[in-house]
Amino acid sequence: MLFLRPPGVYRPQGDTHLLTEELHRAGMPPGARVLDVCTGTGAVAMSAAGGGAGHVSAVDVSARAVYAARLNARLRGLRVRVVRGDLLGPFAGERFDVILSNPPYVPAVSGPPPAHGKARAWDAGGDGRALLDRICAHAPRHLAEGGMLMMVHSVLSGVEATLSALRDQGLKASVVARRNEPFGPVMRGRAAELRARGLIEPGQRDEELVVIRADRVESRS
Ligand SMILES: C[S@@+](CC[C@H](N)C(=O)[O-])C[C@H]1O[C@@H](n2cnc3c(N)ncnc32)[C@H](O)[C@@H]1O
């Protein structure tokens, strides 16, 4: 599927496709309220909207991404509410049946995540967890009873850290999909640094992506 993509907006790729495939394999409750966090072109949100969701919302910190996602949805005749903001910040008090995210997760060579520029789509602090940890901390309180969070990231940014952060919030979390993807230009460009830090093996040319699913189990009362 082709998406309108202004300069600097993330091109949907292997991680995007792995997440949408897994969403459709899992299925959504009819009429589900869905939120796509870090929407970029809106590819994941539109996949949910076209797959039977009731109300789809999406958020991105980038003004260009918000513009692209709104336009892409409109061009397809899909209803998606796209807002500009920081992760779940704009959704105070709202609950969703499904929260989806393909956030920035690439371990950076140095410093905190950038505040501007195209690297904001992938750079995620030294350990790759700057955004993941915040999503794990805040998404659970936005899940309706019986709702699920589905998120994709690389094993390089720590699968156990994600699982235990979500379990600590009372969710039932597991890895539901894995796929090896060849390094793209960003990973190739920082391979030497990641190798020096022991994050990848000498000669490694691909990374494993995982989809993590976390369910808010209904309470019995
Ligand atoms: C890896 S891209 C994923 C884009 C899209 N979901 C996809 O799968 O193709 C990550 C996106 O997160 C956005 N982003 C980065 N920091 C953010 C933040 N603090 N709040 C919301 N979005 C953010 C970037 O602008 C970028 O569009």
Side-chain angles (χ1 to χ4, degrees), residues 10-152:
Y10 190 78
R11 177 174 57 82
Q13 47 202 277
D15 45 10
T16 317
H17 305 315
L18 186 59
L19 179 59
T20 54
E21 283 166 30
E22 202 50 37
L23 171 67
H24 291 292
R25 206 181 65 78
M28 274 175 296
R33 295 160 294 172
V34 177
L35 173 62
D36 176 24
V37 180
C38 299
T39 199
T41 56
V44 174
M46 283 180 279
S47 181
H55 300 276
V56 182
S57 302
V59 60
D60 203 287
V61 75
S62 151
R64 286 185 189 187
V66 168
Y67 168 77
R70 283 183 183 151
L71 202 53
N72 281 318
R74 193 170 310 157
L75 288 171
R76 287 165 177 75
L78 295 169
R79 285 177 66 108
V80 179
R81 172 179 60 142
V82 188
V83 301
R84 185 176 182 201
D86 178 30
L87 300 184
L88 292 119
F91 304 99
E94 285 190 61
R95 297 230 170 173
F96 300 90
D97 303 299
V98 178
I99 298 178
L100 303 164
S101 192
N102 177 13
Y105 55 74
V106 177
V109 171
S110 64
H116 304 283
K118 61 183 182 179
R120 190 167 55 171
W122 55 79
D123 265 354
D127 61 0
R129 295 205 57 84
L131 286 288
L132 288 169
D133 284 340
R134 292 178 57 214
I135 294 171
C136 291
H138 296 292
R141 76 177 71 125
H142 290 274
L143 278 179
E145 285 209 1
M148 75 164 171
L149 165 70
M150 209 177 248
M151 187 159 65
V152 63

Side-chain angles (χ1 to χ4, degrees), residues 154-218:
S154 167
V155 298
L156 299 179
S157 27
V159 175
E160 277 312 313
T162 299
L163 291 174
S164 57
L166 293 169
R167 288 171 186 154
D168 287 350
Q169 298 268 345
L171 303 188
K172 193 169 152 250
S174 61
V175 175
V176 291
R178 294 178 181 272
R179 183 177 294 163
N180 277 335
E181 284 284 329
F183 285 166
V186 172
M187 287 298 292
R188 284 199 298 274
R190 64 185 59 165
E193 161 78 16
L194 296 178
R195 206 160 41 240
R197 288 166 56 192
L199 285 174
I200 62 173
E201 301 292 326
Q204 187 172 336
R205 296 277 182 274
D206 57 20
E207 64 181 324
E208 188 178 31
L209 301 180
V210 291
V211 176
I212 289 176
R213 172 177 174 160
D215 290 85
R216 185 177 154 121
V217 182
E218 291 181 50

